[in-house]
Amino acid sequence: TNSYMARAQEIAGCFVDWIDSFMAYTEGQPTPSRFRRWAAIGAVAEALERRVWTITAGRATYPNLYILLVGPPTSGKTVAIDIVYDFWREAKAFHIAPKGMTTAALVDALKEADKKQLIGGQLVEYHSLQIACPEFGTFIHAHDLEMLANLNDIWDSPRIYGQRRRHVNGGKPIEIIHPQLNILGGAQPGFLASVMPEEAWSMGFTSRLLMIYAQEAPLVSLFNGTPLSKVSARTLTSQMVQFSKAYGQFQWAPDAAQEIERWYKVRLEPIPTHSKLQNYNGRRILQYLKLAMVSAVSRSVAETLELVILL
């Protein structure tokens, strides 16, 4: 495969850690640092779409993420998500989904999110859609198991995703080549109990979610706050556009591969014991691989995944 370094060498000189830069850019905003950091992680994952990957156990893993910021009303979820949404819009390089959709509308939007890129001398087609929804309840309605099942399938980035609808496409299956979906959403704690059914835990949807909780937003000055820097925004947007042009397979540095193998063989200790996290335990390694790719791009724009500690 073409080396990710080939593209990285062209742009490495203009990069510092994008996530750290985002944190500095959003300092003083009425949203917790935890929300800001995970919103930034979601922004980088989204920009990579389905163009970079790593191979483990003979299978490709892509860096798409389903991130849910969880907190009470006014805890700052919307602030963090809206800042990332503005970057996506300004970059003009991504397909952004409407904030409220049915299952059928999701499939239609993903079908329309067509991308083509020349990779390794071959024209590669994929479909990548980005969802930013400050109120996740407007996207996932109560007991909508069909939507959850679709999100499960798409999270795995299959080669082909298909769906048949009687009154669409003449009743023939709708096929989407190389689908990929990123979600950055917000939810109140009660949402998890009252809107998401028990089946969401048992069917594996929540094991694909990264749920980030914060209790409250920091107090900021009402009249003397620091506005977001337009200069920093332009720099961060420019770098995000460069991320959108990256492609290729990540390799693991020997010490990193050895450490991940060791950790994997002990079941990624310490192992969560809560009954609702049993399905999540089986996907922790995939979540780690995705986060490692995002971290590597944000930090160094390198093709080799070095040993990092994720806190």
Side-chain angles (χ1 to χ4, degrees):
T1 61
N2 273 335
S3 171
Y4 179 54
M5 183 65 79
R7 179 60 191 160
Q9 287 174 341
E10 299 179 23
I11 59 180
C14 67
F15 277 88
V16 294
D17 188 304
W18 195 93
I19 293 173
D20 283 349
S21 296
F22 180 93
M23 294 296 289
Y25 168 71
T26 56
E27 183 67 34
Q29 295 299 300
T31 178
S33 61
R34 187 176 301 174
F35 284 172
R36 292 189 288 121
R37 182 167 299 278
W38 280 92
I41 290 170
V44 176
E46 179 278 334
L48 298 175
E49 296 184 324
R50 208 179 190 276
R51 299 182 315 277
V52 303
W53 65 92
T54 188
I55 302 293
T56 57
R59 295 177 61 87
T61 297
Y62 299 90
N64 62 304
L65 296 170
Y66 292 177
I67 297 173
L68 193 62
L69 308 182
V70 181
T74 72
S75 60
K77 303 181 295 295
T78 299
V79 174
I81 294 169
D82 282 350
I83 293 173
V84 169
Y85 180 79
D86 288 342
F87 276 118
W88 290 354
R89 287 182 62 255
E90 289 300 316
K92 296 180 175 62
F94 315 114
H95 293 283
I96 307 173
K99 293 184 179 180
M101 289 191 295
T102 62
T103 301
L106 171 65
V107 175
D108 292 341
L110 188 58
K111 179 70 173 178
E112 294 171 2
D114 182 54
K115 290 285 193 80
K116 292 183 175 67
Q117 183 163 337
L118 193 64
I119 298 178
Q122 293 184 332
L123 188 64
V124 176
E125 177 184 4
Y126 64 95
H127 294 75
S128 183
L129 186 66
Q130 325 311 331
I131 296 174
C133 45
E135 292 297 334
F136 201 53
T138 65
F139 181 70
I140 297 288
H141 302 288
H143 299 277
D144 191 349
L145 299 182
E146 182 183 4
M147 175 68 87
L148 297 181
N150 278 277
L151 294 178
N152 280 354
D153 290 342
I154 298 170
W155 186 86
D156 294 326
S157 298
R159 189 175 64 85
I160 296 177
Y161 171 80
Q163 188 182 91
R164 184 189 298 272
R165 301 208 300 271
R166 183 186 304 176
H167 303 297
V168 178
N169 199 31
K172 298 178 182 179
I174 298 174
E175 289 193 343
I176 302 175
I177 305 298
H178 296 148
Q180 191 260 359
L181 187 66
N182 279 280
I183 298 175
L184 178 60
Q188 299 178 28
F191 165 83
L192 301 178
S194 63
V195 179
M196 294 185 70
E198 186 66 28
E199 291 88 342
W201 299 88
S202 61
M203 72 188 299
F205 174 69
T206 51
S207 69
R208 293 170 168 86
L209 277 177
L210 293 170
M211 292 180 278
I212 314 304
Y213 179 79
Q215 177 64 35
E216 59 184 5
L219 288 176
V220 299
S221 174
L222 293 177
F223 305 107
N224 297 309
T226 303
L228 293 171
S229 166
K230 293 182 179 180
V231 174
S232 296
R234 286 194 293 269
T235 300
L236 288 167
T237 301
S238 176
Q239 292 173 343
M240 179 168 285
V241 171
Q242 297 300 331
F243 288 151
S244 74
K245 300 174 183 179
Y247 61 86
Q249 178 182 339
F250 280 102
Q251 305 294 331
W252 288 80
D255 63 335
Q258 181 178 1
E259 178 60 19
I260 295 302
E261 286 279 13
R262 183 204 63 77
W263 190 39
Y264 183 64
K265 288 179 180 178
V266 296
R267 306 300 182 187
L268 283 64
E269 293 179 343
I271 303 171
T273 57
H274 195 287
S275 60
K276 287 191 173 181
L277 295 178
Q278 294 309 303
N279 288 331
Y280 168 74
N281 287 344
R283 288 194 172 87
R284 289 172 72 206
I285 188 61
L286 294 178
Q287 299 283 21
Y288 176 86
L289 297 175
K290 291 170 181 284
L291 291 171
M293 286 186 279
V294 169
S295 179
V297 170
S298 178
R299 289 180 301 109
S300 60
V301 198
E303 68 168 349
T304 302
L305 291 168
E306 306 289 344
L307 182 60
V308 296
I309 303 299
L310 298 180
L311 300 178

